[in-house]
Amino acid sequence: MKYQSQRVALYYFAGALGLFVAQILFGVIMGTIVVVPNFLSELLPFNIARMIHTNALIVWLLMGFFGCAYYLIPEESETELYSPKLAILQFWLFLFGAAAAVVGYLFRIHEGREFLEQPLWIKLAIVVVALMFLFNVSMTVLKGRKTAITNVLLLGLWGIAVFFLFSLYNPSNLILDKMFWWWVVHLWVEGVWELVMASVLAFLMIKLTGVDREVVEKWLYIIISLTLFTGILGTGHHYYWIGTPAYWQWIGSIFSALEVVPFFAMVIFTFMMVWKGGRSHANKAALLWSLGCSTFAFFGAGVWGFLHTLAPINYVTHGTQVTAAHGHLAFYGAYVMLNIAMFTYAMPNLLKREPYNQVLNMWGFWITSSGVTFMTFALTFAGVVQAHLQRVMGMGFMDVQDQLGLFYWMRLGAGVVTLLGVILIVWSLAVPGSARQAGRVAAQPAE
Amino acid sequence: MPSRTTLLRAWGLMMGLTALSIWAAVSDEGPAPATAAMAAGLFKGLLILWVYLNLGRGNPGWKAVFIVFLATIAVLVLGIFLLGPLVAKP
Amino acid sequence: MTDHSEAHGGWGALDHLPGNPLMWVLILSELVVFGAFFVAFSVSRVLHPAMFLAGQAKLDRLAGGVNTMLLLTSGLAAALAVSACAAGDTRRCRRWLAGAGLLGVGFLGVKLAEYAGKASQGIGIDTDTFFTLFYLMTGFHAAHVILGLVILAVVAWKPSLENAETGAAFWHMVDLIWVLLYPIVYLIR
Ligand code: HEM
Ligand SMILES: [Fe+2]
């Protein structure tokens, strides 16, 4: 940490970690409801729990991105943040909006459009929060040094805000509704969020491996070119069966199949940098998360995405547990791990903790990753069986669900393991390490 | 840079090939003109890269990449055209 | 090419290609996309032989051939523009670029006439799989011709050697794709 104002990131990291735990807790509750259908049925119906599970995810990931930006941008721009006060105000407003949405959901107040269930006034509040944030970081970059990393990060963050605006447009024509819905959902995770991912990974690579900035920047440009080239028209993989013209089957299949390439490039990039860099940074856990991020994103988004992205295959797997398997591993690999990588790198610096619970953090890495991986496999097998019985054999939906019980129990088990891992991660970041560990991890000046 | 004569020669060759493959395709159909048209296309593609873009005097690694890439496409397209019907026969 | 691309450096293998390395990221991506379309088209032809024969019979092979010649000539002009630029003759460079662009416009004219002819017969992108692919492939290609014209105009406006090489690389890629597309879609049957 070089600038005092970077400390505002701590608010966001703390808020994000809190919501992370809540997200996983609701996930475990839902996993239970699936196998014990009457569990909490009066108090917390499945659809409400699902809203909280998915919204908590999105909100904490965004909160984490905000925190990452508040940490990264002053350091890259070599200047204090434009307004730390505004950043803190923005945090509380965002947290309030999220809390209000959740309380509303519990009272069945929502708009019902998947992931975008927030009532209109909360959506507008989110827009205000985004404007406060963009103003703050853009002004910081404008008065400071401009690097490839800040440019790409800002492009990604502005993109997030711009595409969120489409959540305000909800045409009554169901085809148009879905079409624009994906402009938020797909163009986020397979477009502008990927820019955030690439730039934060680039920052971490510079810090953790000591590779020259010039090299990292070139990779960054190549990666985001590939992302935008494939990801924008890749939206077509959601336009197969919603009433859009049939030519989308070709566009979607071809471009989205190539979306694997930027994710693969990120794997090559991170491993090459570590291999070339040769510096061994004291914060091994942050490096583990960074490498885990590119690797798991490649499998979750790249491989599991490719699995069902070609139109003839999606014809049978659409909306089955295959989709759920992919969604979990992709979000975990790309964006959960990205945030945790940055938190793990930045929080010991911000809190000035020389010894921090690095070993515990790495246990958290392995346990959480094992949990999510096992869950992905359980859901993938469930999905393949489901697609076969339901779409090929033509069995009824509920009859098929009855066949999947074993997989759903395995998913619940994996979810409990994941929760355990998440608690370890949060603990390792929140609680100071002991002196015993300081001896184990050679103290080096952290950058 | 390729000289003006080299460029003009490549251009003349490609124009001629185009005329030939149009003529072949208009006058007949089936494996022979198809192969000729695809081979002409592949050859023209390589000429564009080698002469127009001057890659011929460039890096051998890239030359190999482009040859392999274009040849793969030509072979796949032609292979599917010629052999596909045998496989797809009901 | 290696002589001036040394000026970049640090892009690994991409340094060995003429012009801006990021243009080559785009070019290589385009080649892969069109390659995928060509293979997809070939497979679909095997699956629907009658539909493809009927569809191809409605195409104007001569118009396609004329367009091939227009683009090949335009590519020649672009290559001459780069030579002129390398020789430091900006005026001649601009003249050749204008020539390349004009031939590109000619290509689009022929294409438009072809599309209009199809439209008047009631043929569109939704007619059948053959025409879906025909319009997607030729349409994407024509979009690249338009983009290429814009790029050539930018190069004519700021004709450094680097810009000329970058723009010409894109234009040759558009040319290259067409010389493959033409036999695959129009001729082979
Ligand atoms: C980090 C990046 C990604 C994330 C976070 C992600 C997440 C998701 C989620 C949550 C869904 C379910 C949406 C819903 O219907 O509610 C989904 C669907 C889908 N994703 Fe991804 N995805 C990512 C990248 C990719 C990539 C790279 C591909 C293709 C190679 C892909 C292919 C698909 C497809 C085809 C569907 C639709 C599944 C269906 O028809 O049911 N995704 N994704
Ligand atoms: Fe998508």
Side-chain angles (χ1 to χ4, degrees), chain A residues 182 185-187 189-190 231 234-238 256 259 309 326:
Chain A
W182 285 111
V185 178
H186 170 99
L187 288 177
V189 299
E190 290 156 73
T235 318
H237 66 179
H238 304 294
S256 73
E259 282 182 45
T309 206
H326 154 69

Side-chain angles (χ1 to χ4, degrees), chain A residues 54-358:
Chain A
T54 57
N55 281 230
L57 168 74
I58 306 294
V59 169
W60 89 254
L61 291 178
L62 286 173
M63 202 176 260
F65 288 169
F66 292 159
C68 290
Y70 282 136
Y71 183 87
L72 185 156
I73 283 181
E75 189 145 330
E76 277 288 298
S77 304
E78 298 186 330
T79 173
E80 292 286 354
L81 191 64
Y82 180 76
S83 168
K85 284 213 182 65
L86 186 65
I88 293 171
L89 180 67
Q90 180 218 332
F91 169 77
W92 289 114
L93 188 60
F94 193 33
L95 193 67
F96 168 76
V102 169
V103 173
Y105 293 163
L106 291 173
F107 289 97
R108 319 286 193 265
I109 300 167
H110 57 78
E111 292 194 343
R113 204 179 179 201
E114 194 192 359
F115 302 150
L116 308 177
E117 295 95 346
Q118 311 82 24
L120 181 63
W121 73 269
I122 290 191
K123 287 202 183 81
L124 293 174
I126 293 174
V127 172
V128 172
V129 164
L131 286 176
M132 288 162 82
F133 168 74
L134 290 173
F135 173 72
N136 213 346
V137 289
S138 303
M139 291 305 282
T140 311
V141 170
L142 281 180
K143 78 182 162 95
R145 179 175 71 146
K146 288 145 201 81
T147 67
I149 291 178
T150 57
N151 290 347
V152 173
L153 183 60
L154 278 189
L155 183 65
L157 294 167
W158 274 93
I160 290 176
V162 167
F163 286 111
F164 183 70
L165 294 179
F166 287 96
S167 76
L168 300 171
Y169 178 54
N170 190 0
S172 56
N173 177 330
L174 208 56
I175 297 169
L176 291 177
D177 166 353
K178 274 291 168 194
M179 211 181 108
F180 286 109
W181 184 80
W182 285 111
W183 284 32
V184 188
V185 178
H186 170 99
L187 288 177
W188 265 17
V189 299
E190 290 156 73
V192 288
W193 284 34
E194 242 177 287
L195 305 190
V196 173
M197 175 180 171
S199 58
V200 171
L201 277 181
F203 175 79
L204 287 170
M205 287 300 117
I206 290 180
K207 296 291 165 183
L208 294 172
T209 71
V211 166
D212 281 347
R213 174 178 294 277
E214 290 70 38
V215 178
V216 169
E217 289 181 341
K218 282 168 184 136
W219 275 98
L220 180 58
Y221 282 131
I222 292 176
I223 290 167
I224 67 156
S225 308
L226 291 169
T227 297
L228 296 174
F229 181 82
T230 58
I232 295 174
L233 284 173
T235 318
H237 66 179
H238 304 294
Y239 292 175
Y240 297 159
W241 332 112
I242 63 170
T244 30
Y247 53 77
W248 281 109
Q249 292 175 22
W250 296 100
I251 300 177
S253 297
I254 288 178
F255 280 90
S256 73
L258 292 174
E259 282 182 45
V260 182
V261 178
F263 282 104
F264 187 65
M266 282 194 261
V267 178
I268 305 286
F269 164 58
T270 49
F271 280 85
M272 280 271 277
M273 293 306 102
V274 172
W275 176 60
K276 270 188 160 177
R279 156 149 35 130
S280 100
H281 194 279
N283 199 335
K284 299 260 183 312
L287 190 61
L288 181 63
W289 281 106
S290 308
L291 294 176
C293 172
S294 63
T295 309
F296 273 71
F298 169 67
F299 281 101
V303 177
W304 257 258
F306 180 75
L307 220 60
H308 60 160
T309 206
L310 299 176
I313 295 170
N314 191 268
Y315 185 68
V316 288
T317 61
H318 180 57
T320 63
Q321 297 299 328
V322 173
T323 307
H326 154 69
H328 282 85
L329 196 63
F331 261 120
Y332 175 68
Y335 302 121
V336 172
M337 290 182 113
L338 180 77
N339 267 313
I340 304 296
M342 188 67 173
F343 297 0
T344 301
Y345 170 73
M347 283 179 79
N349 294 348
L350 290 170
L351 297 167
K352 300 219 166 35
R353 280 185 191 153
E354 238 357 291
Y356 80 103
N357 273 319
Q358 181 157 201

